[in-house]
Amino acid sequence: MKFLSSLRGKSQAEEFPLLPLRDLVLFPHTLMSVFVTYKTGMTAIDEALKRDLRLFAACLKMRDATETYAEGSVVRIVQHLKMPDNTFRVMLQGEYRGTIASSTTRNDLALVKIEPIRPAADDAADRETLALMRTVQKSFAQYAENTKKISADTIIATEKTESLERLADIVCHALQVKTERKVELLGVAEPIKRLEAVLATLELENEIFAIQKHISGKVKTRMEKNQREYILNEQIREINRELGKDEKEDEFAEMEWAIEAKNLKEEIALKARKELARLRRLQPFSPEAGVLRGYLEWIIDLPWEERTVDSGDLAGAERILHEDHFAMREAKERILEFIAVRRLLSLENERAGIKGPILCFVGPPGTGKTSLGKSVARALGRRFVRISLGGVRDEAEIRGHRKTYVGALPGKIIQGMRKAGMINPVFLLDEIDKLSHDVRGDPASALLEVLDPEQNSAFTDHYLEVPYDLSQSLFITTANSLHTIPYPLLDRMEVIEIQGYGELEKRAIAQTFLVPKSLRENGLGAAAVSFTDAAILAIVRHWTMESGVRGLEREIARCVRRTAQDAVKENYGQDTGKPLAAFARTVEEADLEKLLGKRKYKRETVGQESRVGVAYGLAWTEAGGTMLIIETIAFTGSGDPVITGNLGDVMKESARIALSYLKSAGERYGVSLALEGLNIHIHVPEGAIPKDGPSAGAAIAASLLSTMRQTPPKAGVAMTGELTLTGRILPVGGLKEKLLAAIRNNMERVILPKANTEDWDALSTDIKDSLSIDFVDTADQAFSLLFPPVPEPH
């Protein structure tokens, strides 16, 4: 620390025994009683008693160290008492401040020479100094009031003194601050600067006290408020008892009024009144009271009779459905049928008779199933509620928990009804095929009651414990596949297939819906940005490989974002730049590689190759249609067939059927290989992807026949159909998805079962124009299209 040496006294340095103190700082003009129990301190006092009772007291820098601060005070022993164990209790009076100039040590005794710190002036010589003293006195008085630990004599002493030094010493002695800070205040030589430092310390401590007081006040106020509310509630109860009123408090009266206003059925109203009576008898803060209060709030908040009036405007509903979605003819017709039937029924007949249908939209991802549910709600004029069932594995998610459980709630169905606020919303259960189950129950089984029009008028949630009418709701479920939906649940739903889109359909969807939406979402709604039809078709063919339009929407959004970046670079749309309406851009096919990068799909597929043992089948998956490459080889072995490619049991059976059929009818097809002693290995590539289903039977047979005859089938031909042991080709499902897969893989010709002729006739013109189709009834007809005729034997 730096001190003003010029202000120190000029008298010769005196020598004193050194008394090291632990966490204590002694100031002049003060008295302090000190216990000395350590050897160096006792030695110093013994030496002082031999001399003139004076020693130098300095604070240790660290509690367990031996080094002291240089600054300290020369003190006189006023009283001393030596204990039997040679320790001392001494009363010390501070005389003046000093700094250690030098020190010597003999045994345990340290002798130090001290240079006094003696200021030149020690009185209030001017007005500013006097004002400073009074400010310190006032601040110290406030500090004493805050701490409540400073005696009145000390406060009076500070008020009466006219000495700057004395005032600073008394205040510093009384301050409850860290030892390091007290040593700093002790060592400042100039009185005014020392007093200013003391004032700064006092103001800081007072500010800390003020903050503590404020925080304590807020906590106390909060506690007092809770206590006050409790007392007032108890007083209200007592007053109501004295007045003989039935309502114990307004809360119960409001709940009772709300329950009566709901016009509940007698069974439900009786249950609510019973629980309300129980709540009145309980203490307000008991756990059971909280459970009952929450239960009654659910009863009051749920819609029991409230309903929206369905739109009877058939033409308006049809217009809304066409505005929001392209194609989906079957789904739209079913909704329009529902609206028409509703219009023919009066309200009384509606409540007594018609039930809300249970529809299931099934189709590949990205075909608009979820958004179609929103459009249905808009067309009907109803509220819309969506619940995602993907990954739900707890039955309580559907039926709720008993209200006695901690944190119990109703299930998702009842929660959705409260959110809708009406008893007849459009209720979308998304991804119903993704339900799971474990030890906590089977949520699919819990949905049986919800999705049965004959039962859901009295659906019982475990939390409510009373029947709730779900029959007025229009339930719509969505799924990518029906295979994982339990049959009892599937049987309760009206399945409507949402098929994938062809190229022309995707182009129309993009131009009508996706491009305007992407322009709005990316800040170019006011600009003249457009896509050519050729650009859209190029994106469909070379940057996506899907049945839906989700990937197409992402790629269009990428183009729009790059275009938006160009608009900003050209200073469009900014306050100081050009208006956004003046920005015009047409995205053409030649611009796509610059905007989207290299093509992802080249469309030059292996289907154009003609190889021995390779046939091309078509399959339906949850993500849409796909093409299967079926490979077969024969080699010497035990004669057992080998089937690989992560195939399901049904597909393995199809392979065995095809092999058995060809063994039985091999001569008819000119098979020259002796199958005995040969191993047949059938493989479907992409083995990491599970594959199953009977529709690849005809394609497997074609691959086997090609291997047996060592003749490749015609290139660019795909086929689908189930093969029987007698050589018949049976119809298949998912025809549109499979044909779209053939188009995506650049196939030219497709062989289909003749029984699928009606499905072919129902397809759009663009799909029909893209492929050449051959319909067959038998394997003979299919093989005659794939292979050259068998030469007549000579």
Side-chain angles (χ1 to χ4, degrees), residues 207-225:
E207 185 177 355
I208 293 173
F209 275 116
I211 294 172
Q212 290 176 340
K213 186 176 181 181
H214 177 68
I215 295 172
S216 300
K218 288 200 297 186
V219 174
K220 184 178 179 181
T221 301
R222 194 178 300 120
M223 294 175 62
E224 289 177 349
K225 181 181 179 183

Side-chain angles (χ1 to χ4, degrees), residues 191-208:
I192 294 178
K193 288 187 177 180
R194 187 182 183 209
L195 209 56
E196 288 175 348
V198 171
L199 179 59
T201 304
L202 282 171
E203 292 296 329
L204 177 62
E205 292 296 315
N206 287 334
E207 185 177 355
I208 293 173

Side-chain angles (χ1 to χ4, degrees), residues 767-789:
I767 296 178
K768 294 179 180 179
D769 293 341
S770 300
L771 296 167
S772 296
I773 301 297
D774 294 295
F775 291 101
V776 297
D777 270 330
T778 64
D780 291 344
Q781 297 172 2
F783 295 155
S784 67
L785 297 170
L786 286 170
F787 300 99

Side-chain angles (χ1 to χ4, degrees), residues 224-511:
E224 289 177 349
K225 181 181 179 183
N226 293 337
Q227 187 69 15
R228 180 171 175 271
E229 288 178 354
Y230 174 78
I231 294 172
L232 289 175
N233 286 331
E234 292 297 323
Q235 289 176 345
I236 290 173
R237 290 192 186 94
E238 190 61 34
I239 291 171
N240 286 331
R241 284 195 207 99
E242 293 296 328
L243 295 175
K245 290 185 178 180
D246 294 332
E247 299 84 11
K248 292 188 177 181
E249 58 180 80
D250 292 342
E251 179 189 4
F252 298 147
E254 290 175 4
M255 281 187 175
E256 187 171 6
W257 176 85
I259 290 170
E260 297 301 328
K262 279 289 180 179
N263 193 25
L264 302 174
K265 293 181 181 179
E266 185 58 32
E267 176 187 359
I268 303 168
L270 187 63
K271 174 73 172 175
R273 294 190 194 103
K274 180 180 177 181
E275 299 296 347
L276 181 59
R278 286 181 58 202
L279 178 61
R280 282 176 166 162
R281 294 192 295 269
L282 295 173
Q283 292 295 325
F285 300 107
S286 67
E288 190 177 359
V291 171
L292 290 179
R293 188 176 288 107
Y295 174 80
L296 291 171
E297 287 174 355
W298 272 98
I299 294 288
I300 294 168
D301 291 343
L302 278 173
W304 297 92
E305 294 291 335
E306 301 88 344
R307 68 183 66 241
T308 53
V309 179
D310 287 345
S311 171
D313 184 3
L314 200 64
E318 186 174 8
R319 175 181 52 78
I320 290 173
L321 292 174
H322 287 321
E323 281 179 0
D324 293 349
H325 291 84
F326 185 83
M328 299 187 181
R329 178 179 54 82
E330 185 181 356
K332 292 177 180 178
E333 286 180 354
R334 182 63 185 89
I335 300 304
L336 295 176
E337 290 171 5
F338 176 72
I339 296 174
V341 172
R342 284 290 219 210
R343 184 174 180 180
L344 292 176
L345 293 171
S346 64
L347 182 62
E348 290 75 18
N349 288 335
E350 178 185 337
R351 290 182 179 177
I354 189 171
K355 305 292 185 181
I358 313 295
L359 306 179
C360 180
F361 296 156
V362 182
T367 50
K369 301 182 295 297
T370 302
S371 58
L372 181 58
K374 295 181 182 179
S375 297
V376 170
R378 194 160 76 93
L380 288 171
R382 294 190 178 190
R383 304 279 178 86
F384 176 75
V385 181
R386 174 187 171 273
I387 291 177
S388 177
L389 297 179
V392 172
R393 60 178 61 199
D394 189 353
E395 179 193 354
E397 294 282 345
I398 306 299
R399 287 188 173 275
H401 295 84
R402 300 288 181 190
K403 67 176 183 290
T404 52
Y405 289 103
V406 176
L409 283 173
K412 288 181 177 292
I413 304 299
I414 296 299
Q415 291 182 37
M417 296 302 294
R418 184 173 80 163
K419 180 181 178 182
M422 297 292 168
I423 202 171
N424 62 339
V426 173
F427 215 116
L428 181 72
L429 301 175
D430 215 2
E431 308 290 357
I432 196 170
D433 58 327
K434 307 299 190 302
L435 282 171
S436 183
H437 62 88
D438 59 10
V439 294
R440 290 170 288 187
D442 184 3
S445 300
L447 282 173
L448 293 176
E449 183 182 4
V450 176
L451 299 181
D452 189 344
E454 300 301 323
Q455 299 182 43
N456 63 10
S457 59
F459 172 71
T460 302
D461 186 276
H462 289 157
Y463 183 86
L464 291 183
E465 299 176 343
V466 292
Y468 189 85
D469 186 9
L470 297 175
S471 63
Q472 303 301 316
S473 301
L474 171 57
F475 283 97
I476 298 176
T477 65
T478 69
N480 297 129
S481 171
L482 299 178
H483 303 306
T484 56
I485 302 176
Y487 180 76
L489 182 60
L490 184 62
D491 186 56
R492 286 163 165 77
M493 299 185 290
E494 183 178 344
V495 177
I496 297 176
E497 185 177 354
I498 307 294
Q499 297 178 336
Y501 301 112
E503 289 184 349
L504 297 184
E505 289 175 321
K506 289 183 179 181
R507 184 186 67 186
I509 292 171
Q511 295 287 28

